[in-house]
């Protein structure tokens, strides 16, 4: 079936970094979802978009011409503990295509059966978690966050057993690559420096080709990944997104978000928010994500150290370690700058004609921190409170007051604290205005383009997944998907998707990895 023009550089150039595996044949394939916009980017043929052949293709029953399915090998630190061999336990890389914009993209299955890396798992996936990946990844994509994306979901017609029997499904994921921190850790742990070098050079050729051939290219690779991850995590933090399982095998070298298992967006703002049922000690809480990302990057530096050293002696290794530590220290500055840039945009401080005075960095950082502290004390909804701040820009403070009071925590103190903070905020705004008459409306509009009205809210996601899994009803999923793809549009018909979860739901909500 000739539907994509595959060019499989990973399989061709890195023998020993994967195992060849065929997907398990599904008994009754049915196409549940196809991302038509992404299909257009990839130049996907018509016969792969609908009908029985398309269902067979995306469920793994029919391989496209040129596909070379492989399970990639990698290691990883999982909740701080190192596993020297993980690998694709339920995923297969079908191959790579060059899309219509000239970008090389991985096409991979998730939930297609066992591999040599399955570690006693069944290698399968349930429909609900695969549809969750569609909803949350498309939400992040619409919000401008680098992410892997879902191309298709196909039901397999067989049950998978988790806490109970659930309908099985295969997701097709598209990524800039599936290279991870754990990919390099795999070969570093084995002291296979020849393969480590080959994989690192492949990563450089794929993601940072300007570094290729340079003597300092491995230090350059570390620096590029540090920069990409610093900016990615800052975007997560500004949106209240919690990844949930930031193991090193889930950190990409490309800087794309990957693995939508126990992920979720915050409703009520609390820096210590954790949703994942397996994160019992809060390692991957919202407030810990920047620190954990830097910890993961330190593990990448350790893996690259033998390549960065200009020799094998203690002196050369010490010099390489010093260079790696300097690169890792740059993470704090890069993350801090990206975080503050995002906060300024959300606060409406970056739309004035005079720009931002760097001397005001500390002033703005404190202003942002005090705003978040106010939201925390009030028990306010993170997304809605930011959105209502745009109304204050236009002179209407009542929606924000109502939002903060909805948390029902110290109403009198909350309003007094809000008024005091708004006075400081307005004073800072006056320092950045251009003086044009329509300034407040223009700045409010700009704020509404960085403070979303709609995110993939947990209770709506669960409603949609339950309807799809239990009754085969995709209507809620389709409506929610349309809403998260237009996160800035505040319209009456979309209002239900912007409502916070009921307190009883939020108090006990937990997410699961899907395996």
């Amino acid at each position: 079936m000739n539907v994509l023009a595959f060019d499989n550089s990973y399989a061709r150039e890195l023998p020993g970094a994967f195992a060849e595996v065929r997907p398990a044949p599904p008994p009754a394939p049915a196409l549940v979802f196809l991302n038509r916009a992404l299909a257009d980017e990839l130049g996907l043929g018509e016969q792969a978009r609908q009908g029985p052949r398309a269902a067979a293709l995306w469920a793994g029953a029919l391989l496209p011409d040129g596909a070379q399915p492989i399970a990639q090998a990698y290691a990883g630190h999982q909740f701080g503990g190192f596993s020297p061999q993980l690998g694709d336990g339920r995923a297969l890389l079908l191959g790579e295509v060059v899309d219509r914009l000239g970008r090389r993209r991985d096409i991979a299955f998730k939930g297609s059966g066992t591999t040599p890396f399955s570690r006693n798992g069944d290698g399968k996936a349930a429909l609900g978690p695969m549809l969750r990946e569609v909803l949350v990844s498309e939400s992040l994509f619409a919000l401008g966050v680098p992410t892997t994306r879902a191309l298709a979901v196909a039901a397999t017609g067989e049950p998978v057993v988790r806490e109970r029997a659930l309908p099985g499904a295969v997701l097709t994921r598209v990524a800039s690559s599936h290279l991870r921190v754990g990919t390099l850790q795999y070969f570093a742990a084995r002291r296979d420096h020849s393969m480590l070098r080959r994989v690192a050079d492949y990563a450089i050729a794929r993601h940072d080709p300007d570094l290729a051939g340079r003597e300092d290219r491995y230090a350059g690779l570390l620096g590029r990944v540090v920069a990409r991850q610093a900016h990615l995590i800052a975007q997560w933090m500004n949106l209240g997104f919690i990844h949930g399982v930031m193991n090193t095998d889930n950190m990409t070298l490309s800087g794309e978000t990957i693995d939508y298992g126990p992920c979720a967006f915050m409703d009520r703002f609390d820096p210590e928010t954790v949703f994942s049922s397996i994160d019992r000690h809060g390692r991957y809480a919202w407030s810990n994500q920047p620190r954990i990302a830097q910890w993961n990057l330190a593990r990448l530096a350790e893996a690259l150290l033998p390549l960065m050293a200009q020799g094998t002696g203690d002196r050369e290794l010490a010099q390489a370690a010093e260079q790696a530590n300097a690169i890792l220290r740059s993470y704090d500055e890069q993350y801090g700058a990206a975080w503050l840039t995002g906060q300024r945009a959300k606060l409406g401080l970056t739309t004035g004609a005079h720009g931002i005075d760097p001397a005001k960095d500390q002033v703005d950082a404190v202003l942002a921190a005090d705003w978040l502290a106010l939201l925390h004390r009030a028990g306010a909804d993170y997304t809605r409170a930011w959105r209502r701040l745009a109304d204050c820009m236009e002179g209407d403070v009542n929606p924000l007051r109502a939002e903060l009071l909805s948390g029902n925590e110290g109403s009198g103190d909350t309003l007094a604290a809000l008024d005091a903070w708004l006075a400081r905020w307005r004073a800072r705004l006056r320092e950045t205005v251009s003086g044009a008459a329509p300034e407040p409306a223009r700045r409010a509009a700009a704020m509404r383009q960085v403070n979303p009205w709609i995110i993939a809210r947990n209770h709506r996601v669960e409603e949609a997944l339950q309807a799809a899994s239990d009754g085969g009803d995709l209507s809620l999923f389709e409506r929610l998907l349309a809403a998260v793809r237009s996160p800035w549009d505040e319209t009456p018909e979309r209002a239900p998707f912007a409502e916070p979860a009921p307190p009883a739901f939020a108090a006990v909500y937990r997410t699961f990895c899907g395996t």
Side-chain angles (χ1 to χ4, degrees):
M1 187 177 186
N2 187 13
V3 295
L4 289 167
F6 281 97
D7 177 42
N8 305 326
S9 65
Y10 188 97
R12 183 171 61 245
E13 298 177 24
L14 297 174
F18 58 85
E20 294 191 21
V21 187
R22 300 280 295 190
L31 188 61
V32 175
F33 162 79
L34 180 73
N35 190 329
R36 297 192 176 278
L38 184 54
D40 289 343
E41 289 180 17
L42 297 170
L44 189 65
E46 267 310 311
Q47 57 183 327
R49 292 176 182 247
Q50 58 186 349
R53 287 174 66 80
L57 172 66
W58 302 122
L62 178 66
L63 285 178
D65 294 343
Q68 185 177 351
I70 59 174
Q72 294 179 308
Y74 47 84
H77 278 86
Q78 298 191 311
F79 288 89
F82 184 62
S83 296
Q85 179 171 298
L86 294 171
D88 288 333
R90 58 171 182 159
L92 291 177
L93 174 63
L94 294 182
E96 305 146 36
V97 301
V98 177
D99 71 13
R100 288 179 169 174
L101 295 178
R103 300 170 297 186
R104 182 173 291 271
R105 316 281 288 274
D106 277 2
I107 312 296
F109 280 160
K110 183 175 180 180
S112 54
T114 58
T115 79
F117 307 113
S118 294
R119 303 184 301 281
N120 298 317
D122 63 9
K124 302 297 180 66
L127 178 62
M130 298 305 94
L131 293 179
R132 174 191 295 277
E133 182 152 339
V134 174
L135 290 169
V136 184
S137 63
E138 286 298 285
S139 178
L140 285 187
F141 178 77
L143 292 166
V145 180
T147 180
T148 59
R149 296 184 69 191
L151 173 62
V153 175
T156 60
E158 65 179 354
V160 297
V161 179
R162 298 299 180 252
E163 290 79 9
R164 59 188 178 93
L166 299 167
V170 174
L171 175 134
T172 303
R173 179 166 61 199
V174 177
S176 294
S177 84
H178 284 79
L179 293 163
R180 314 151 189 264
V181 171
T183 310
L184 293 167
Q185 287 183 293
Y186 181 83
F187 296 103
R190 285 159 176 72
R191 301 181 184 274
D192 187 344
H193 294 169
S194 174
M195 274 301 297
L196 178 65
R197 187 180 302 276
R198 290 177 67 178
V199 173
D201 283 340
Y202 176 84
I204 288 167
R206 184 127 180 205
H207 296 299
D208 300 288
D210 60 305
L211 298 176
R214 283 174 34 177
E215 189 172 292
D216 66 345
R217 62 189 180 277
Y218 305 117
L221 174 62
L222 177 60
R224 296 287 176 82
V225 178
V226 165
R228 287 192 282 264
Q229 288 294 333
H231 285 80
L232 175 66
I233 305 303
Q235 287 180 283
W236 289 359
M237 298 292 285
N238 273 301
L239 290 166
F241 176 73
I242 301 169
H243 182 276
V245 61
M246 288 178 65
N247 298 328
T248 57
D249 55 298
N250 292 331
M251 175 176 272
T252 61
L253 303 186
S254 66
E256 289 182 322
T257 309
I258 193 171
D259 196 333
Y260 289 89
C263 62
F265 286 90
M266 273 195 292
D267 286 308
R268 175 188 174 120
F269 179 64
D270 182 347
E272 303 309 311
T273 298
V274 174
F275 291 110
S276 172
S277 63
I278 57 176
D279 191 1
R280 296 181 179 88
H281 303 291
R283 177 180 175 87
Y284 299 141
W286 178 85
S287 61
N288 286 342
Q289 291 183 136
R291 178 181 63 82
I292 289 296
Q294 189 176 38
W295 190 92
N296 287 350
L297 292 165
R299 308 290 77 77
L300 173 63
E302 290 169 353
L304 287 171
L305 209 58
L307 305 183
M308 293 174 60
Q310 301 299 310
T312 58
D314 291 344
R315 180 179 178 183
E316 290 87 353
L317 286 171
Q319 289 173 338
E322 183 178 346
Q323 183 182 28
N325 282 326
I327 295 170
L328 291 170
R329 284 193 295 271
S330 74
Y331 171 88
D332 286 331
E333 181 178 352
Q334 294 187 74
Y335 169 77
W339 161 255
L340 184 57
T341 296
Q343 290 287 286
R344 278 173 163 157
K346 290 170 76 69
L347 290 166
L349 296 176
T350 57
T351 56
H354 303 304
I356 289 293
D357 180 359
K360 295 290 188 180
D361 283 0
Q362 185 60 28
V363 172
D364 291 345
V366 171
L367 186 67
D370 289 348
W371 163 250
L372 295 180
L374 177 60
L375 299 189
H376 187 200
R377 288 197 305 272
D381 184 86
Y382 184 77
T383 301
R384 289 173 65 91
W386 278 109
R387 186 74 175 192
R388 296 285 71 91
L389 187 60
D391 300 329
C392 297
M393 179 69 78
E394 294 179 306
D396 186 1
V397 73
N398 289 327
L400 179 58
R401 284 173 175 264
E403 197 63 53
L404 266 60
L405 289 178
S406 67
N408 296 317
E409 297 193 8
S411 58
D413 291 343
T414 295
L415 293 183
L418 173 61
D419 289 343
W421 184 87
L422 287 173
R424 292 165 54 203
W425 176 62
R426 291 179 180 119
R428 183 71 182 100
L429 289 171
R430 286 193 291 271
E431 296 176 345
T432 62
V433 297
S434 65
E439 183 73 15
R442 182 174 68 85
R443 289 160 75 94
M447 290 174 68
R448 294 185 182 110
Q449 289 302 306
V450 293
N451 292 312
W453 171 237
I454 291 174
I455 55 173
R457 288 193 175 270
N458 304 320
H459 63 304
R460 296 303 184 196
V461 170
E462 295 302 331
E463 288 173 353
L465 301 189
Q466 184 174 355
S469 294
D470 293 349
D473 180 3
L474 291 170
S475 61
L476 288 176
F477 166 81
E478 291 167 352
R479 289 173 55 212
L480 180 55
L481 179 60
V484 300
R485 282 173 162 171
S486 300
W488 321 111
D489 300 342
E490 190 167 344
T491 60
E493 62 272 17
R494 295 178 186 269
F497 298 112
E499 291 295 326
F505 174 94
V508 299
Y509 182 62
R510 294 293 179 269
T511 55
F512 301 87
C513 69
T515 56

